């Protein structure tokens, strides 16, 4: 049996007995044949008190199950790992691949004909989908949805772009301890994911563009009825997807990934999405390199006015028509043959989709964008395999810059010496020892401005690292340098070496004679003495950021 509740029997060496005990325990749970003759839909959720952004998820889970039942399926919920961004140490990225492993095995091992996955906080969505794409059953993601923004002292603020801005102002002495405590009560005022264009919002939107979530589902706020209706609609749709056998390999294509890269640039999305798209493409056996992403994003302006590249919030984007309205504006740049989660082509879908709901100011026409360039993929002698820069969140005067390096070996070294080092506004802050193998890619790339310079009003400097940066952060920050420090030229940089960024030509160079570099030894990351089995295993096998930082599947 390849479908239904009796597929994949538990191995007791007696298939009849396996079926008998399975029906016994289903009976104990109150099910009978009227339930178990239906398509079985697994509903993987990531409810956790440690993932505060998911606190509205129990109601969303009920909504998905209601939709599955209405369409004639039997919903069976199961928990997945939940990766709450701000409660995990050293970084949630350390566990994305572990979540992917877990979800793949849970989908393969349990009897389900299709799966709906409930995620939201940054790594939950790519981790769940990496597992589901590999498992190969019909799949839909339902995201938690963003928070709704509130105001502090008359100004709309939100997590976590304003958390960072306010903390920087506090470090510079412009906000008191009392101010910071007061602001912390309104920066994340409702359930839901960060309501700026951070990684959670970016991935929610890209998953919709990839065809792994129902159109129009990404932006509905977590506490809204719209969000619950997304859940019901997704529950209904997954039962049809089982009938149509619309598996991820029939949805995902090079077109859908290139469309996602274009949308990533147009929304001013998180640089983290580049790593996740590359990992998902590899899982889906789609040929996609970091330079393909760079080619797709080049010359795509930012048309969505959300923080950190702009001023608005995700609820503004939802009120303006959400992702379908953005796609309508971008139609001329997209491959309309890509498949949506409805099984139609993107072109067919957009024929019936409306453009932005007027009046609105958050979705701009291509001719009058928020910023000219969203995301740039760099290459050069300091990053032979690539690096990324969110140009829309950078300072225009630093996009062409040459300066002497001030080098830090790992986060601990940076934290210990940052406020003591000899540094000027022209210096280039270089951080290494934060790549996928060395440290699991913490979001440490937005190195704080040294206190002395911050106090003098310096708000941005060129920063270069093999780390990531939160999608909610801003500044002229080059990230994901590949190969990471312990394997590439980044590990050869010394204090005072000249580093040059030319964003227009996509170059990041170390201006040191190659013969001199040959004589230098690579800096090695500090090794954590109390490291765990998983961290040790991942460090040995994980790929570089330019390949998605996934763990390989050893074939043959
Ligand atoms: Fe969960 Fe921002 S902390 S989405």
């Amino acid at each position: 049996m390849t479908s239904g509740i009796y597929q994949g029997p538990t191995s007791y060496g007696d298939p009849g007995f396996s079926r008998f005990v399975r029906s016994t325990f289903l009976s104990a749970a109150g099910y009978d044949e009227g339930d178990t003759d239906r398509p079985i839909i697994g509903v993987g959720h990531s409810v956790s008190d440690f993932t505060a952004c998911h606190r509205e998820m129990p109601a969303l889970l009920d909504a998905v199950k209601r939709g599955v039942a209405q369409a004639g399926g039997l919903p069976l919920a199961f928990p997945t790992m939940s990766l709450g961004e701000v409660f995990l140490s050293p970084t949630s990225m350390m566990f994305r691949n572990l979540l992917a492993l877990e979800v793949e095995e849970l989908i393969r091992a349990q009897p389900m004909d299709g799966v709906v996955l409930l995620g939201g906080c940054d790594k939950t969505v790519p981790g769940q989908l990496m597992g589901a794409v590999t498992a190969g059953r019909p799949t839909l993601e339902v995201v938690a949805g963003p928070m709704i923004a509130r105001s502090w002292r008359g100004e709309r603020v939100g997590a976590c772009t304003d958390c960072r801005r306010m903390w920087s102002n506090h470090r510079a002495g412009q906000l008191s301890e009392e101010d910071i405590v007061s602001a912390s009560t309104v920066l994340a005022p409702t359930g839901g994911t960060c309501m700026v264009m951070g990684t959670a919002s970016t991935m929610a939107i890209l998953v919709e563009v990839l065809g792994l979530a129902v159109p129009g589902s990404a932006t509905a706020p977590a506490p809204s009825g719209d969000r619950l209706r997304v859940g019901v609609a997704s529950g209904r749709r997954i039962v049809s997807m089982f009938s149509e056998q619309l598996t991820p390999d029939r949805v995902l294509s090079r077109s859908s990934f290139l469309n996602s890269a274009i949308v990533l640039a147009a929304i001013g999305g998180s640089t983290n999405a580049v790593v996740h798209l590359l990992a998902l493409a590899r899982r889906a056996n789609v040929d996609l390199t970091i330079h393909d992403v760079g080619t797709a994003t080049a010359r795509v302006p930012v048309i969505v006015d959300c923080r950190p590249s702009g001023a608005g919030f995700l609820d503004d984007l939802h009120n303006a028509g959400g992702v379908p309205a953005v796609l309508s504006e971008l139609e001329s740049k997209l491959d309309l043959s890509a498949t949506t989660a409805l099984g139609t082509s993107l072109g067919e879908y957009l024929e019936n989709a409306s453009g932005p709901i007027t009046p609105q100011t958050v979705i701009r026409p291509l001719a009058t964008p928020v910023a000219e360039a969203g995301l740039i993929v760099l290459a050069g002698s300091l990053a032979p395999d690539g690096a990324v820069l969110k140009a829309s969140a950078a300072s225009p005067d630093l996009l062409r810059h040459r300066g002497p390096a001030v080098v830090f070996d790992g986060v601990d070294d940076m934290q210990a010496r940052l406020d003591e080092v000899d540094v000027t506004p022209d210096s280039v802050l270089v951080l290494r020892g934060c790549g996928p193998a060395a440290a699991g890619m913490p979001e440490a790339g937005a190195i704080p401005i040294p206190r002395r310079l911050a106090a003098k009003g310096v708000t941005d400097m060129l920063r270069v690292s093999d780390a990531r940066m939160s999608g909610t952060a801003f500044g002229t920050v080059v990230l994901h340098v590949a190969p990471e420090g312990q394997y590439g030229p980044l590990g050869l940089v010394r204090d005072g070496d000249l580093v040059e960024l030319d964003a227009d030509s996509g170059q990041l160079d170390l201006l040191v004679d190659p013969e001199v570099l040959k004589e230098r030894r690579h800096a090695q990351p500090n090794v954590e003495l109390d490291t765990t089995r998983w961290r040790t295993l991942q460090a040995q096998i994980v790929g570089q950021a330019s390949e998605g930082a996934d763990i390989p599947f050893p074939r043959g």
Side-chain angles (χ1 to χ4, degrees):
M1 176 175 286
T2 55
S3 65
I5 198 71
Y6 294 109
Q7 66 186 294
T10 310
S11 180
Y12 294 119
D14 180 344
F17 178 71
S18 301
R19 188 181 170 97
F20 168 65
V21 288
R22 193 167 284 183
S23 80
T24 299
F25 281 87
L26 285 165
S27 173
Y31 297 112
D32 61 21
E33 282 180 1
D35 298 303
T36 57
D37 282 351
R38 297 160 181 249
I40 310 300
I41 303 299
V43 187
H45 64 84
S46 44
V47 176
S48 163
D49 288 345
F50 287 104
T51 309
C53 338
H54 293 187
R55 77 171 160 86
E56 304 280 354
M57 197 172 276
L60 185 59
L61 174 60
D62 284 346
V64 173
K65 290 170 79 173
R66 181 152 55 93
V68 170
Q70 284 173 357
L74 176 66
L76 293 178
F78 64 99
T80 76
M81 282 177 73
S82 187
L83 303 179
E85 201 60 24
V86 298
F87 290 97
L88 281 165
S89 176
T91 168
S92 63
M93 187 64 178
M94 182 71 85
F95 310 106
R96 183 202 64 177
N97 296 337
L98 188 58
L99 168 58
L101 274 180
E102 184 213 31
V103 168
E104 177 188 346
E105 296 302 332
L106 287 176
I107 295 173
R108 285 185 193 281
Q110 300 180 120
M112 62 184 83
D113 299 313
V115 63
V116 180
L117 293 159
L118 274 60
C121 200
D122 296 20
K123 308 307 171 296
T124 54
V125 171
Q128 288 177 334
L129 285 176
M130 285 162 66
V133 165
T134 316
R137 309 273 163 84
T139 297
L140 280 179
E141 183 80 34
V142 177
V143 295
M147 296 180 233
I148 298 173
R150 268 186 60 194
S151 297
W152 184 71
R153 296 183 183 170
E155 180 196 7
R156 276 179 96 207
V157 293
C160 235
T161 299
D162 294 300
C163 316
R164 291 172 193 282
R165 180 174 58 81
M166 288 176 168
W167 186 251
S168 296
N169 291 346
H170 176 55
R171 271 177 62 84
Q174 293 156 9
L175 284 179
S176 68
E177 190 68 34
E178 196 186 332
D179 292 335
I180 285 289
V181 171
S182 159
S184 72
T185 61
V186 294
L187 282 163
T190 69
T193 48
C194 291
M195 67 292 233
V196 299
M197 198 57 80
T199 307
S201 304
T202 302
M203 288 310 299
I205 291 170
L206 298 193
V207 162
E208 193 177 317
V209 180
L210 283 172
L212 294 173
V214 294
S217 66
T219 54
S224 68
D226 281 358
R227 174 54 47 197
L228 297 178
R229 280 186 283 279
V230 165
V232 175
S234 302
R236 291 177 186 148
R237 175 64 194 144
I238 192 68
V239 178
S240 304
M241 287 173 75
F242 165 64
S243 308
E244 298 159 17
Q245 277 303 293
L246 192 61
T247 45
D249 62 317
R250 292 183 52 212
V251 175
L252 297 172
S253 63
R254 189 170 157 84
S255 300
S256 58
F257 279 97
L258 293 177
N259 283 348
S260 296
I262 290 166
V263 172
L264 169 61
I267 61 176
S270 166
T271 47
N272 288 323
V274 177
V275 183
H276 302 321
L277 283 178
L278 291 168
L280 277 166
R282 287 183 157 236
R283 294 263 176 160
N285 294 318
V286 169
D287 183 21
L288 185 82
T289 69
I290 188 170
H291 300 295
D292 294 332
V293 174
T295 305
T297 56
R299 290 181 290 281
V300 177
V302 180
I303 62 164
V304 173
D305 187 13
C306 280
R307 297 175 196 210
S309 301
F313 293 95
L314 262 286
D315 45 320
D316 302 324
L317 178 57
H318 186 64
N319 292 337
V323 177
V326 174
L327 296 178
S328 297
E329 280 300 326
L330 289 173
E331 195 168 340
S332 62
K333 293 188 175 293
L334 300 173
D335 182 339
L336 300 179
S337 70
T339 303
T340 71
L342 301 180
T344 60
S345 72
L346 181 60
E348 287 170 281
Y349 172 71
L350 287 180
E351 272 174 25
N352 299 316
S354 55
I357 298 164
T358 51
Q360 61 88 32
T361 55
V362 72
I363 304 172
R364 305 276 181 85
L366 274 166
T368 53
V370 178
E372 282 303 330
L375 192 132
I376 296 175
V377 171
L378 304 164
S381 60
L382 187 51
D385 291 343
V388 298
L389 168 72
K390 190 172 183 175
S392 56
S395 303
D397 57 322
L398 286 172
L399 290 174
R400 279 191 79 165
H401 181 79
R402 177 191 291 186
V406 175
V407 183
F408 300 100
D409 281 308
V411 174
D412 290 347
D413 181 42
M414 186 261 286
Q415 287 172 346
R417 295 192 299 118
L418 180 66
D419 291 330
E420 314 301 328
V421 289
D422 193 12
V423 66
T424 74
D426 283 337
S427 301
V428 179
L429 303 178
V430 175
L431 173 65
R432 62 193 176 202
C434 295
M441 292 190 87
E443 289 188 336
I447 303 167
I449 302 300
R451 200 179 292 271
R452 257 180 300 137
L453 295 181
K456 286 182 186 161
V458 176
T459 55
D460 196 10
M461 296 171 68
L462 177 57
R463 291 158 269 180
V464 176
S465 76
D466 49 13
R468 296 177 302 117
M469 154 174 112
S470 166
T472 63
F474 46 86
T476 313
V477 184
V478 175
L479 302 151
H480 311 181
V481 169
E484 64 182 290
Q486 72 190 91
Y487 302 125
L490 187 68
L492 302 175
V493 186
R494 293 202 179 153
D495 283 343
D497 287 350
L498 287 178
V499 171
E500 184 171 63
L501 168 69
D502 183 345
D504 285 343
S505 62
Q507 282 291 124
L508 180 70
D509 290 307
L510 176 60
L511 305 181
V512 175
D513 187 332
E515 291 305 312
V516 174
L517 291 180
K518 269 189 198 160
E519 286 163 18
R520 293 185 185 174
R521 282 167 53 94
H522 277 101
Q524 291 296 321
N526 298 328
V527 177
E528 258 189 86
L529 292 177
D530 63 343
T531 196
T532 65
R533 286 169 176 77
W534 167 248
R535 293 174 201 194
T536 305
L537 178 64
Q538 172 157 264
Q540 289 168 0
I541 59 177
V542 71
Q544 290 293 291
S546 54
E547 300 170 337
D550 196 0
I551 52 177
F553 181 62
R555 292 172 196 279

